[in-house]
């Protein structure tokens, strides 16, 4: 009989992309590890890991997730635990910044205390840049244009926007996100996308992010969205995560990004 498991995770500490939160329940039926790692050119290497157990087992609050973690880029980067992380959550990093150019793949290798190997590989997406953007108070919308890659396998994207108001405790009035599989789109051309957001008329700024992601990351983010949607209706309906890690649940991937901050005085 399948066992329902739960991951004891503080999602705020995870280096996850801030598009979909990790659902707490129904992540699978096998004990093991959950790994989440998003590499970004120009930024330090950060990885998070958690031990996942059947609900029928006790979790020892003193237990440490003791893993040997390395990422092979232009050299082998050995990640170390972050001091002060909760005992049930292994949080690993190396302050070396990932090179912006010259690396097309990254390789993850983890050795567990059970002497098991966890491995994964990811491509490094091309750089991405927002060509143009507008924020309209008239239509309450954000529009961007950007160039697609000549390589269809590089044409997966996340476009998100935040309507912000600085004079309140939570400055984010609303966040909207769209996921784009443009692998069938004509490569090497310009494309435009628009997000509607009624809260723009109340905002004093809008923050835009465009990410070029891997196909594996796209599939994972969509499965997170579907898992969260299923959990809202019934926490007992398991929706599998579509990860790319061998020997564990989760994702090891890389993305590039372009950010724009638009103050209210520059709205149309």
């Amino acid at each position: 009989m399948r066992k329902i498991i739960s991951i004891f995770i503080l999602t705020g500490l995870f280096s996850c992309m801030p598009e979909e939160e990790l659902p707490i329940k129904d992540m699978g039926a096998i004990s093991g590890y959950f790994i989440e790692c998003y590499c970004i050119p120009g930024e330090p290497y950060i990885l998070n890991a958690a031990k996942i157990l059947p609900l029928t087992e006790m979790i020892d609050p003193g237990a440490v997730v003791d893993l040997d973690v390395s990422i092979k880029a232009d050299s082998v980067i050995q990640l170390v635990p972050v001091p002060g992380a909760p005992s049930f959550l292994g949080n690993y990093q190396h302050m070396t910044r990932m090179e912006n150019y010259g690396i097309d793949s990254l390789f993850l290798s983890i050795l567990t205390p059970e002497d098991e190997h966890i491995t994964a590989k990811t491509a490094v997406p091309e750089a991405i840049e927002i060509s143009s953007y507008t924020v309209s108070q008239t239509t309450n919308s954000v529009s961007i244009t950007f160039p697609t890659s000549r390589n269809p396998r590089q044409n997966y994207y996340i476009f998100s926007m935040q309507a912000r108001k600085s004079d309140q405790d939570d400055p984010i009035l609303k966040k909207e996100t769209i996921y784009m599989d443009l692998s069938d789109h004509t490569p090497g051309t310009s494309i435009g996308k628009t997000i509607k957001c009624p809260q723009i008329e109340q905002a004093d700024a809008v923050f835009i992010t465009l990410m070029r992601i891997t196909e594996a990351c796209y599939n994972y983010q969509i499965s997170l969205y579907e898992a969260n949607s299923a959990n809202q209706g019934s926490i007992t309906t398991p929706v599998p995560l579509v990860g790319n890690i061998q020997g564990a649940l989760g994702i090891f991937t890389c993305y590039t990004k372009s950010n724009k901050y638009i103050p209210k005085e520059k709205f149309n």
Side-chain angles (χ1 to χ4, degrees):
M1 181 177 179
R2 292 174 61 88
K3 296 179 181 178
I4 299 175
I5 67 170
S6 174
I7 298 179
F8 279 70
I9 293 176
L10 300 178
T11 55
L13 293 177
F14 265 60
S15 59
C16 63
M17 303 172 75
E19 312 313 319
E20 295 296 334
E21 293 184 355
L22 181 71
I24 298 300
K25 292 183 180 293
D26 306 316
M27 304 302 296
I30 301 172
S31 299
Y33 293 90
F34 180 86
I35 308 296
E36 198 169 55
C37 181
Y38 296 91
C39 300
I40 309 168
E43 298 190 13
Y45 292 92
I46 298 175
L47 176 144
N48 288 275
K51 182 73 174 177
I52 51 179
L53 298 168
L55 289 177
T56 53
E57 296 184 19
M58 294 293 292
I59 293 181
D60 180 1
V64 176
V65 182
D66 183 17
L67 303 174
D68 184 342
V69 180
S70 64
I71 294 175
K72 184 177 183 295
D74 54 341
S75 61
V76 177
I77 308 296
Q78 194 75 31
L79 280 68
V80 297
V82 177
S87 60
F88 55 82
L89 179 65
N91 198 0
Y92 295 79
Q93 71 177 21
H94 194 288
M95 296 312 294
T96 296
R97 295 183 181 274
M98 181 182 165
E99 293 290 341
N100 283 290
Y101 305 102
I103 302 174
D104 58 12
S105 298
L106 300 172
F107 301 85
L108 173 68
S109 178
I110 298 175
L111 181 63
T112 74
E114 296 82 15
D115 204 29
E116 296 175 346
H117 279 93
I118 297 170
T119 60
K121 175 185 177 181
T122 182
V124 177
E126 301 167 1
I128 184 68
E129 184 62 38
I130 297 172
S131 302
S132 65
Y133 57 89
T134 59
V135 178
S136 173
Q137 283 184 293
T138 304
T139 60
N140 283 323
S141 64
V142 176
S143 299
I144 64 170
T145 63
F146 61 95
T148 59
S149 173
R150 295 185 179 279
N151 180 355
R153 295 183 64 84
Q154 295 265 358
N155 281 327
Y156 296 87
Y157 305 88
I158 296 176
F159 169 29
S160 68
M161 61 77 59
Q162 297 175 7
R164 295 183 173 183
K165 195 166 183 62
S166 58
D167 61 350
Q168 55 186 36
D169 292 339
D170 183 357
I172 300 176
L173 293 171
K174 184 68 173 178
K175 180 174 182 178
E176 298 285 355
T177 300
I178 59 175
Y179 306 90
M180 295 176 279
D181 174 359
L182 302 181
S183 56
D184 292 333
H185 186 79
T186 303
T189 58
S190 181
I191 191 168
K193 288 291 178 181
T194 298
I195 291 179
K196 294 277 191 177
C197 179
Q199 287 76 10
I200 286 177
E201 62 182 4
Q202 308 166 35
D204 54 29
V206 166
F207 187 74
I208 303 171
T209 299
L210 176 66
M211 306 176 210
R212 173 172 276 139
I213 62 176
T214 62
E215 181 179 4
C217 183
Y218 174 84
N219 292 334
Y220 180 75
Q221 293 294 313
I222 293 299
S223 69
L224 275 179
Y225 174 81
E226 292 175 347
N228 280 316
S229 297
N231 283 343
Q232 290 175 11
S234 171
I235 65 171
T236 61
T237 303
V239 175
L241 291 183
V242 182
N244 68 340
I245 297 180
Q246 304 299 313
L249 294 172
I251 187 74
F252 173 65
T253 192
C254 181
Y255 68 92
T256 55
K257 62 181 178 178
S258 176
N259 297 323
K260 302 294 180 183
Y261 179 84
I262 306 98
K264 189 180 186 71
E265 55 266 26
K266 292 188 177 181
F267 292 3
N268 291 341

